[in-house]
Amino acid sequence: MNELVFIQNDQPITTSLKIAEVFEKRHDHILEKIEILKTELTTPENMGVLNENYNPQFFKSNYQNSQGKSQPMYLLNRDAFMEVVGNLNGAKARQFKRKYFATFNEMEKKLQEFNDPLRIATRYQGKLTRLKETDIIKQLVAYAKIQGSKHADKLYVVYTNLANKIVGLKGGERDNATIKQLNTLDDVESMIFHIIKRGMAQCKHYKEIYQDCKIRLNAFLEITFGEQRLIA
């Protein structure tokens, strides 16, 4: 787990192990401090301060050390992190705090966008377009096999990679795409769908259809983003 902050249960989280590593402290000392903080935070006077805007949360977990043994650690939300590192001073500590806070902010922004109703609707529309594209590629696979292709089944990956390249995504990144990327992806996959459909109707060779897609998408790149580069 190399990330400073990651998303778990719909909130940005860090770990006591990562805090110890980044701030160059012994992990057992960080664990001791967390246990003390947990006790302090449950006193009546402190419980009255906690609310939805400030609620330090410590979740007990474990990790495997270099010997493969299970060892305790804590998962912490932003407020819990602030409690743990609040009294760490010095230029280096302040630098690490700023980096952590910036990362928490980035993760929270991503989480808000990921759960945005507009993004959810855009993602749903993209899935509908993807289903249409997948169906037409299925037809293209059979079409290419008739034309003698021995690797027609790879056309699914070929066209997926083509669409992803236009948007600047890798295969596993679609679920984390921004609204702008999702909208562009929807346009690109709709374009691919129509070019393939028209190419088969015109009895073009399957390789020529792919070249038609690249020509149209290169034009799309230039018009939409002002890019002159060609898709290889």
Side-chain angles (χ1 to χ4, degrees):
M1 192 179 296
N2 296 320
E3 304 94 337
L4 283 177
V5 180
F6 56 96
I7 300 295
Q8 182 164 306
N9 295 329
D10 288 335
Q11 68 173 323
I13 294 291
T14 190
T15 72
S16 56
L17 194 65
K18 179 55 67 174
I19 291 173
E21 175 189 336
V22 170
F23 288 90
E24 299 177 348
K25 303 293 182 182
R26 283 178 46 174
H27 188 229
D28 59 332
H29 289 175
I30 297 295
L31 292 179
E32 289 173 6
K33 185 169 186 177
I34 289 173
E35 294 296 342
I36 293 171
L37 286 169
K38 285 177 62 183
T39 301
E40 289 180 356
L41 290 168
T42 55
T43 60
E45 57 270 24
N46 285 322
M47 288 289 289
V49 175
L50 304 183
N51 54 51
E52 62 179 11
N53 296 318
Y54 190 76
N55 185 21
Q57 295 180 343
F58 303 88
F59 309 98
K60 199 151 193 176
S61 185
N62 56 68
Y63 72 99
Q64 285 193 335
N65 64 15
S66 56
Q67 287 77 42
K69 295 181 179 179
S70 180
Q71 299 291 329
M73 74 171 184
Y74 274 96
L75 307 179
L76 304 85
N77 67 357
R78 176 201 282 266
D79 294 341
F81 166 79
M82 291 174 63
E83 289 284 343
V84 172
V85 304
N87 63 354
L88 296 179
N89 298 314
K92 195 171 183 179
R94 288 194 296 273
Q95 178 185 354
F96 287 146
K97 287 181 191 179
R98 293 187 192 107
K99 187 174 182 180
Y100 253 110
F101 290 143
T103 308
F104 269 113
N105 289 338
E106 180 183 349
M107 287 294 181
E108 287 173 351
K109 184 178 179 181
K110 284 184 178 180
L111 193 59
Q112 287 172 359
E113 181 174 297
F114 191 81
N115 292 322
D116 184 89
L118 177 59
R119 185 190 182 282
I120 293 171
T122 304
R123 181 71 175 129
Y124 177 72
Q125 178 58 46
K127 287 182 177 180
L128 294 179
T129 303
R130 178 64 174 165
L131 285 174
K132 289 170 61 178
E133 186 199 21
T134 300
D135 184 63
I136 201 69
I137 292 176
K138 182 179 180 180
Q139 296 176 41
L140 180 64
V141 168
Y143 180 85
K145 286 180 178 178
I146 292 172
Q147 292 183 335
S149 172
K150 298 185 185 304
H151 307 288
D153 290 331
K154 293 182 179 180
L155 289 172
Y156 290 102
V157 175
V158 168
Y159 279 96
T160 296
N161 289 343
L162 182 63
N164 287 343
K165 189 172 183 179
I166 291 290
V167 184
L169 293 173
K170 295 180 181 178
E173 294 179 344
R174 286 192 174 211
D175 287 340
N176 296 320
T178 64
I179 293 176
K180 182 179 179 180
Q181 286 175 319
L182 289 173
N183 281 323
T184 304
L185 194 60
D186 188 53
D187 290 339
V188 167
E189 292 185 331
S190 292
M191 202 179 305
I192 289 173
F193 168 82
H194 289 294
I195 295 170
I196 292 174
K197 188 175 181 179
R198 185 175 63 248
M200 289 193 296
Q202 295 172 348
C203 299
K204 289 187 175 184
H205 193 274
Y206 74 94
K207 289 185 179 179
E208 186 180 356
I209 294 173
Y210 181 68
Q211 292 303 318
D212 286 346
C213 282
K214 289 204 298 183
I215 291 169
R216 285 286 304 279
L217 292 174
N218 274 319
F220 174 81
L221 266 178
E222 185 172 351
I223 293 169
T224 308
F225 302 108
E227 297 187 18
Q228 301 294 324
R229 65 182 176 86
L230 297 178
I231 304 170

